Amino acid sequence: MNNNKIFILRTKKSKTEPETTYCIAVFKLGTPYMEFILGETDNDREYRQGDQVFYVYDAEYTYDLNYAVEWLSKIK
């Protein structure tokens, strides 16, 4: 069951901090309680859309995909 897994939706490398990659991930996929997680990946590899991760650092949570996309687009 994928409900309790975290999947990467989108990543963006920081232009100001070379070791930082920001991401939007999804948790509880396919349930009424689905959440989007905004934060950073652990940078130990290049993540692609759909990859599973076990943790998102400095996480912020939202139910609003538009908010998540806007957040990522504003990150420098």
Side-chain angles (χ1 to χ4, degrees), residues 2-44:
N2 290 333
N3 294 355
N4 294 320
K5 296 180 181 179
I6 301 170
F7 297 99
I8 295 290
L9 291 180
R10 183 86 171 128
T11 61
K12 180 179 180 180
K13 295 250 185 219
S14 173
K15 293 178 183 175
T16 59
E17 299 176 43
E19 290 85 36
T20 303
T21 302
Y22 298 100
C23 71
I24 300 173
V26 64
F27 180 61
K28 299 180 184 173
L29 182 63
T31 74
Y33 308 105
M34 185 171 73
E35 295 177 291
F36 298 100
I37 306 171
L38 320 174
E40 301 174 20
T41 63
D42 56 17
N43 271 343
D44 64 348

Side-chain angles (χ1 to χ4, degrees), residues 49-68:
Q49 187 175 10
D51 284 348
Q52 182 181 352
V53 294
F54 296 99
Y55 191 79
V56 174
Y57 298 91
D58 297 324
E60 178 182 336
Y61 300 84
T62 183
Y63 294 104
D64 185 347
L65 179 58
N66 288 329
Y67 174 81

